[in-house]
Amino acid sequence: MSEPIAAVAVRAAELTARGFPREAIDLLRPALAANPLYAEAWCRLAAAHLDVGEPDPALSAAKRALVLDGDHAWAQRLAALALSELGRHTEAVVAARECVRRKPGDWRCRVVLAEVLAAAPDTRREAVDEGREATRLAPGEARAYQVLGDAALRIRDWGTAEWAYRNALKLDPVDDDVRANLATVRRKRGASPAPPTGDALTAAHAMAWPALSRLAVLLVTGGLLLLLAGLPSPTPLLGWFSALLVAAVGLVLLRLLVRARRGVRRALLVLPRYRPRVAAATTMFGLSTGILAGWTVALFLGGTTMQPLVIAWLCAVLGGSVVVLGGGR
């Protein structure tokens, strides 16, 4: 009995590929009523229902395939897509991850995981990573590049999106959706600079964190020495040592920018937007240095107060605490 249903499944696959999924459904339903134990046919039915925009029966068919002997990874892919269409994002991600677990080297599993991850804002960056992995596993598949481009487009990573869409069009030049998305990316990229890639941000973070550690040592230790030296009342001479401390901070920052490559240098400038610990430490050290510079000028003009120095030192301590507790992560 498996031969007739197998032939029906092949015919249904041909109909779906030619753009007639409704006919495929009409062909499969009576065949499955007579032969309900053929998992591939259930998967074909689920795929056809997805093509006509019917996620509920698609999910039911995929679940039937999951309890039968067959390609469970395929059934998990179909279930994940149906769940995503139904708005059940968490369940869709679980199904897609299970698909990847079953077949980690199958690019189609990575594509489906990228698709469902891209549906929610908090998982879109992971969707880009999964899309990249799909293109690595299947460099000749246009669909893998399209999904990567779609995920990158959602996080406004114009550079990655353009690269992905261009590769997708090389493999499938007649895909109008990809062509339209590429035009959108080029228009957006012309209107605003592309955000740094994940690799550039990682490289910038690896360079910035040691520099922040050096600033912590400079500002905390230097500020403490200035406090001790300024008791009971600071003199203009102390202003020269305070100026040297401000200059040392400037040298650390200048050295960081000079050492960075062009792409990484731009990532350094926007790194606080993507790394909260870097933002917190940078803000505290910036306040500390600014207050210290103002206090230095006040000393040269005859000021004798120590309060600004205390505030600057406390800001440095707070920033240093962020650096120590952050541990470079």
Side-chain angles (χ1 to χ4, degrees):
M1 294 181 64
S2 63
E3 291 182 358
I5 189 66
V8 170
V10 171
R11 176 63 176 155
E14 293 173 353
L15 287 169
T16 303
R18 288 165 50 197
F20 301 108
R22 181 60 65 187
E23 288 78 357
I25 293 171
D26 295 338
L27 184 66
L28 285 165
R29 282 204 173 279
L32 280 167
N35 302 272
L37 301 180
Y38 194 62
E40 180 182 343
W42 285 111
C43 287
R44 296 290 180 194
L45 181 61
H49 276 300
L50 285 173
D51 278 358
V52 297
E54 296 174 348
D56 274 313
L59 180 59
S60 298
K63 286 181 176 179
R64 292 292 297 270
L66 281 171
V67 300
L68 300 173
D69 291 334
D71 187 351
H72 285 180
W74 184 12
Q76 289 283 7
R77 290 203 313 270
L78 295 166
L81 291 173
L83 288 165
S84 183
E85 289 291 329
L86 291 169
R88 295 158 62 177
H89 176 70
T90 302
E91 295 171 81
V93 171
V94 171
R97 291 194 193 281
E98 177 61 19
C99 176
V100 171
R101 188 191 68 80
R102 289 176 181 272
K103 285 190 175 181
D106 191 331
W107 68 274
R108 294 166 298 183
C109 295
R110 300 284 180 175
V111 161
V112 170
L113 180 55
E115 285 187 273
V116 299
L117 288 172
D122 57 338
T123 54
R124 284 174 182 165
R125 292 195 177 276
E126 186 184 354
V128 173
D129 295 336
E130 292 296 334
R132 285 198 182 98
E133 181 63 15
T135 61
R136 186 190 69 80
L137 292 171
E141 293 290 340
R143 179 62 180 156
Y145 290 102
Q146 181 183 5
V147 169
L148 172 58
D150 292 345
L153 181 63
R154 293 197 176 202
I155 64 169
R156 304 174 67 85
D157 185 349
W158 310 129
T160 299
E162 181 173 356
W163 175 83
Y165 286 140
R166 285 169 64 91
N167 279 282
L169 282 177
K170 288 179 183 178
L171 297 167
D172 185 6
V174 298
D175 193 321
D176 292 334
D177 290 337
V178 172
R179 195 175 299 279
N181 286 344
L182 179 58
T184 299
V185 168
R186 286 173 172 168
R187 185 171 64 254
K188 294 287 188 180
R189 197 172 188 182
S192 60
T197 64
D199 291 341
L201 287 172
T202 300
H205 188 276
M207 295 184 65
W209 202 260
L212 290 173
S213 299
R214 286 191 287 272
L215 289 178
V217 173
L218 274 174
L219 289 171
V220 173
T221 305
L224 181 60
L225 291 175
L226 288 173
L227 281 171
L228 295 175
L231 294 176
S233 178
T235 63
L237 180 62
L238 195 62
W240 291 105
F241 294 99
S242 179
L244 286 175
L245 181 56
V246 173
V249 171
L251 286 175
V252 171
L253 297 176
L254 180 62
R255 183 170 178 266
L256 175 63
L257 292 174
V258 168
R259 289 178 56 204
R261 301 188 305 274
R262 182 177 179 181
V264 177
R265 187 179 302 124
R266 192 169 67 83
L268 280 170
L269 298 177
V270 299
L271 185 63
R273 289 171 50 189
Y274 300 91
R275 299 291 191 271
R277 291 188 181 90
V278 173
T282 302
T283 300
M284 289 297 101
F285 292 152
L287 286 173
S288 177
T289 304
I291 295 171
L292 191 61
W295 182 69
T296 301
V297 173
L299 285 181
F300 288 137
L301 295 177
T304 57
T305 179
M306 292 285 285
Q307 289 181 350
L309 179 58
V310 173
I311 296 172
W313 184 74
L314 290 175
C315 289
V317 169
L318 288 175
S321 300
V322 172
V323 173
V324 172
L325 295 176
R329 290 174 292 177

